[in-house]
Amino acid sequence: MTRRRAIVNHVMLLAGLVLWSLPASLAAQAQNASQPVGRRAAQRSAPASARTLLGVEVSESHGGVVVQVRADGTLASVVIFPLRSPDRLVIDLPGVGNQVPARRIAVPGDHIARVRVGSHPDKTRIVLDAGPAANGFRERRVIRTADGFNLALGPRAAAATAATSGLGVALATRPPKIKTEPPPALKKPPGPEPSATTGDESEQALAIVGDGAPDPELDDALGGFDDDAADSELDDALGGFGEDEPRHATAATDLASTHPEQRRSYDLTGSVSLGSSLNLRSHYASVNPDPAAQNGTPYGNVQRLRLRGDLQLDLHELPFGWRACGQAFAFYDLAYALHGRSEYTRHVLEDYEYQYEVLDLWLAGPLLDNLDLKVGRQVVNWGRSDTLRVTDVLNPLNNREPGLVDIEDLRLPVTMVKADYYWRQWSFTALLIPEIRYDYNPAVGSDFYPSFNLSDLHPSAMPFVLLNVAAFQAGVRGEPASRRTSRWRSPPEYGGAITGIFSGWDISLYAASTYQNQTTVVLNIPDLSQPIFEDDDRVTMVGAGGNYTLGSWLFKAELAYLDDLHYAYLTSAPGSPGFAVVHRDKSRLDVMGGVEYYGFHDTTIALEIVNRHLFDYDPLLKFLPNYLDENSVEMALRITKELMNSRLDLTALGLVLGERAQHGATIRLSADYELIDALVLSGGLLYFVEGDKPPLDGWGNNDRLFMKIKYSF
């Protein structure tokens, strides 16, 4: 009886709903009947408003990439704005849900590192993390489609997208009106809103809110994101959305009424930071400024108190489509004055107390329709790995404070001429590098400077060294003599690459003739006046790399064959002193395999493994100064987690040397918290596991806490 009563109640409720909606339905039919036939047909053919995001796809186009955003209907509103430090491009879809299964989408190519898709109560957010070729997402173009839009990144991709309709889908109705939402100071008095296109008032309007228009709702939606986009980027977001005019043409009526300023031809950005590190254990470096001292340089307590400023100028509206960039930094470390400068070697003070340097300084632009040129100091990343280097051989690294930052922040720009030719999905790159630079290594007297032990010598040299132990130790405690090649007057380095970017995968082929960024250390005994020295080493590298995406997985691989690697080592010899220095050229094959998984909520896990195999191996290479195995294994595991609506980023990174970690390991736990817009507080722990050979055999006491506060503008 109860079940029957429930069924009757449900039927009566359904009937009531039908009767309640019937008058409104009849009124709508009557109103529709009074309209002209043409308008009713247009309304029947108009696409429905989107409620759900269905997919995000990335493909290559004219040396750039195109991000295709697909929904289940027409997008009524799109909010696009860039973020800095690090560079990201945020796309908000208000009122749209999300059915994209993967929260993180791995992307091949250099413009986008990855795509993140997040669900919020009032919108879906897409975040594009910048790759090395993103250039701050300044060259971008948006073209509306029937079920979403296409976003082109890169100067040639943006121009090609604007000039062609191949990526766009014709709409059943006329283009919608474009509405902008200017900052409050620029809003007009109440009145009619001028539109960029003509259209009937009953048609659905598409509002693209230009890069980060400040209002309370948007501030809440950002959830701590740094919104520093200028008004000048508004027409980049508007341009082409619903119209196919050229990149620099905009809806003049609409923009003139809301943004009277002219488009800026430059961007000036930068940051100011204060960083500190605290040694957990007091210890001594291997070298002391006083040669007579028994102990080395003391290290303890606060060892780093560095004030740093960075400044970058971008000129992106030069004639003929050219652009330029200049970047420089300067820092001063107060810790050395606090502890007493006399406690440190001259080399430490020169490298760590005060420094300034010009980083990027280049001019780039098109020569022909498919040919670009970039001249000046720049970074070219040939690698797929985020932590380990295989094919990434062009730029040296700043290794003066190992483990504190990632490799992407360690590369030192080099002056070069870079030409890129684009053909379909392929790009062809040629490089000429006249400036020869080497890695920045820990200075003599730093607690990261390696120490040499007598027990690491070849046995044949031990009797001679023991008879002259004082002279030998004095020689190895000083700065090694340098036989590096000249910075500007040496034969230039050169190389080339071929890269193809396809749907879900990419591949690159490399070839280069370069000087090794890390100089060769040569043991020069029996000349104890100069027992070790650094020598340049020109090598030839051919290699390949690629990415493959599968759902929430990214698989990556690199291999490099290096020839003409020069080694010097000791071997037994008849007569006195009983040993000789042998010089040999050898070859090596480096292979890297890696995988990243983005399937967990706001979490990424990445694993990379490298094996370096030395051909024609001589067991004598195990001894000082080479410490080489026939097969050297390196592993890196990285776990990142985003919390608090991406305001807090947690990272755990482990780097292991040797298949059983017998050569040591480094562990870094760090957190980045965005206090307010553009103000980030970072900190963490750096922990070293001692190994059985340099460099980690002497870093066991170097564990430290680190912290930095950084303001970007």
Side-chain angles (χ1 to χ4, degrees):
M1 186 70 178
T2 302
R3 177 179 176 84
R4 183 178 303 171
R5 182 178 300 171
I7 294 175
V8 171
N9 290 338
H10 281 87
V11 171
M12 293 179 66
L13 178 61
L14 180 61
L17 291 174
V18 171
L19 292 175
W20 175 79
S21 62
L22 186 58
S25 176
L26 293 174
Q29 290 182 12
Q31 180 180 1
N32 188 52
S34 64
Q35 295 178 355
V37 176
R39 175 167 296 185
R40 295 203 308 270
Q43 288 182 344
R44 285 195 300 269
S45 61
S49 296
R51 295 186 177 182
T52 305
L53 177 67
L54 301 178
V56 180
E57 298 179 358
V58 181
S59 59
E60 191 273 345
S61 174
H62 295 80
V65 294
V66 174
V67 181
Q68 297 173 296
V69 177
R70 295 185 297 105
D72 61 351
T74 302
L75 291 171
S77 177
V78 178
V79 182
I80 301 176
F81 55 95
L83 302 175
R84 307 297 183 212
S85 300
D87 287 342
R88 291 152 290 167
L89 189 67
V90 179
I91 304 170
D92 281 346
L93 309 177
V96 176
N98 176 32
Q99 285 189 0
V100 177
R103 292 183 57 84
R104 282 167 171 74
I105 304 169
V107 178
D110 292 335
H111 282 79
I112 304 175
R114 60 185 57 86
V115 177
R116 295 178 282 154
V117 182
S119 300
H120 296 258
D122 58 342
K123 65 179 177 294
T124 291
R125 166 167 290 178
I126 305 170
V127 179
L128 311 182
D129 293 326
N135 192 29
F137 296 109
R138 291 178 176 85
E139 296 97 2
R140 64 180 185 265
R141 183 74 175 183
V142 186
I143 297 295
R144 187 181 188 277
T145 64
D147 58 351
F149 63 90
N150 296 322
L151 171 65
L153 300 174
R156 293 191 176 278
T161 304
T164 64
S165 58
L167 292 174
V169 179
L171 302 179
T173 60
R174 285 172 289 185
K177 293 183 294 182
I178 300 176
K179 294 182 180 179
T180 64
E181 186 67 24
L186 298 177
K187 285 186 178 180
K188 304 186 278 87
E193 177 77 21
S195 61
T197 60
T198 59
D200 193 275
E201 294 298 328
S202 64
E203 292 179 351
Q204 184 181 25
L206 174 67
I208 303 176
V209 181
D211 302 347
D215 60 20
E217 290 188 25
L218 182 56
D219 290 339
D220 293 339
L222 290 176
F225 272 119
D226 174 18
D227 176 11
D228 63 350
D231 297 335
S232 62
E233 296 184 277
L234 179 61
D235 57 303
D236 272 352
L238 291 172
F241 216 100
E243 292 186 339
D244 283 345
E245 70 270 8
R247 177 172 180 266
H248 296 292
T250 58
T253 304
D254 196 30
L255 289 179
S257 62
T258 58
H259 294 271
E261 303 94 348
Q262 295 294 321
R263 175 183 174 86
R264 289 198 312 178
S265 59
Y266 68 93
D267 284 321
L268 184 62
T269 58
S271 64
V272 178
S273 64
L274 178 64
S276 177
S277 65
L278 174 67
N279 290 329
L280 298 181
R281 287 176 281 188
S282 296
H283 58 284
Y284 291 88
S286 59
V287 180
N288 191 286
D290 181 5
Q294 295 297 318
N295 296 320
T297 301
Y299 283 87
N301 301 320
V302 176
Q303 190 48 55
R304 190 172 188 258
L305 193 59
R306 180 175 297 176
L307 181 64
R308 170 168 172 154
D310 289 75
L311 200 61
Q312 178 171 332
L313 175 64
D314 291 281
L315 305 176
H316 42 76
E317 293 293 332
L318 297 179
F320 307 107
W322 283 65
R323 63 191 190 279
C325 175
Q327 182 184 9
F329 77 90
F331 70 74
Y332 177 71
D333 201 319
L334 301 169
Y336 299 94
L338 293 175
H339 291 293
R341 300 179 76 252
S342 61
E343 295 288 335
Y344 303 94
T345 64
R346 171 179 58 86
H347 312 287
V348 167
L349 295 177
E350 289 176 352
D351 290 348
Y352 295 91
E353 184 183 28
Y354 172 75
Q355 193 177 59
Y356 62 91
E357 185 174 343
V358 175
L359 298 175
D360 284 24
L361 185 62
W362 49 260
L363 179 68
L367 291 180
L368 301 173
D369 288 344
N370 292 322
L371 179 63
D372 287 346
L373 187 67
K374 189 174 183 180
V375 182
R377 269 200 167 186
Q378 55 191 289
V379 171
V380 176
N381 178 17
W382 274 1
R384 297 300 194 276
S385 170
D386 293 328
T387 307
L388 307 174
R389 304 189 87 185
V390 175
T391 58
D392 183 23
V393 300
L394 297 177
N395 292 92
L397 300 181
N398 186 344
N399 293 319
R400 286 173 176 160
E401 296 175 281
L404 276 180
V405 296
D406 293 333
I407 191 172
E408 63 181 346
D409 299 317
L410 296 176
R411 294 187 183 94
L412 300 172
V414 175
T415 302
M416 65 178 75
V417 179
K418 177 173 176 279
D420 293 296
Y421 180 79
Y422 305 103
W423 179 72
R424 295 183 179 178
Q425 286 80 23
W426 296 91
S427 64
F428 303 84
T429 301
L431 299 165
L432 183 66
I433 309 173
E435 183 185 18
I436 311 303
R437 301 189 73 185
Y438 293 93
D439 288 350
Y440 288 178
N441 292 319
V444 175
S446 162
D447 54 349
F448 288 105
Y449 185 73
S451 58
F452 298 98
N453 300 316
L454 292 179
S455 59
D456 297 335
L457 278 171
H458 186 266
S460 65
M462 191 66 70
F464 173 83
V465 172
L466 289 177
L467 291 174
N468 303 273
V469 63
F472 178 80
Q473 289 180 337
V476 299
R477 285 166 62 90
E479 183 181 21
S482 177
R483 299 186 182 179
R484 296 179 177 182
T485 188
S486 172
R487 184 168 186 169
W488 291 104
R489 297 189 300 273
S490 301
E493 301 173 323
Y494 54 88
I498 302 174
T499 299
I501 303 177
F502 307 92
S503 178
W505 64 284
D506 66 53
I507 187 172
S508 297
L509 304 176
Y510 309 111
S513 175
T514 66
Y515 292 93
Q516 280 205 95
N517 297 323
Q518 184 70 47
T519 53
T520 300
V521 177
V522 177
L523 191 61
N524 196 40
I525 59 175
D527 180 8
L528 294 180
S529 65
Q530 196 180 82
I532 60 173
F533 63 83
E534 296 178 340
D535 201 2
D536 66 75
D537 191 5
R538 180 126 188 178
V539 300
T540 301
M541 188 277 289
V542 292
N547 289 324
Y548 179 76
T549 61
L550 182 64
S552 299
W553 296 86
L554 169 65
F555 301 93
K556 50 189 175 182
E558 295 179 42
L559 63 89
Y561 177 80
L562 297 102
D563 198 14
D564 300 324
L565 292 166
H566 183 76
Y567 297 104
Y569 52 94
L570 297 179
T571 185
S572 301
S576 179
F579 61 88
V581 179
V582 177
H583 295 261
R584 294 287 186 272
D585 288 338
K586 298 184 180 296
S587 302
R588 194 179 76 210
L589 179 65
D590 297 351
V591 180
M592 187 279 293
V595 60
E596 296 184 25
Y597 181 67
Y598 305 93
F600 298 121
H601 180 71
D602 291 331
T603 302
T604 302
I605 301 176
L607 175 65
E608 298 171 355
I609 302 176
V610 170
N611 183 74
R612 308 183 194 275
H613 176 77
L614 190 63
F615 294 98
D616 191 23
Y617 180 74
D618 191 329
L620 297 176
L621 290 168
K622 282 182 174 291
F623 297 101
L624 187 154
N626 298 292
Y627 299 101
L628 287 177
D629 297 321
E630 183 176 11
N631 289 284
S632 301
V633 177
E634 303 168 10
M635 294 177 283
L637 175 65
R638 181 190 302 267
I639 303 174
T640 60
K641 175 72 174 179
E642 295 179 356
L643 299 171
M644 301 176 64
N645 210 12
S646 297
R647 294 187 66 176
L648 176 63
D649 294 332
L650 304 178
T651 301
L653 173 65
L655 175 63
V656 175
L657 303 182
E659 61 274 13
R660 301 182 306 277
Q662 68 271 26
H663 304 320
T666 301
I667 300 172
R668 189 184 77 214
L669 307 176
S670 61
D672 299 307
Y673 179 69
E674 191 167 19
L675 298 171
I676 58 175
D677 286 352
L679 185 63
V680 177
L681 177 65
S682 305
L685 168 69
L686 188 60
Y687 181 78
F688 296 97
V689 179
E690 280 194 352
D692 57 7
K693 66 178 184 179
L696 284 167
D697 65 338
W699 293 359
N701 293 321
N702 290 11
D703 306 336
R704 60 197 62 198
L705 298 173
F706 59 91
M707 185 177 66
K708 181 171 69 173
I709 186 166
K710 178 179 179 180
Y711 175 73
S712 301
F713 56 87

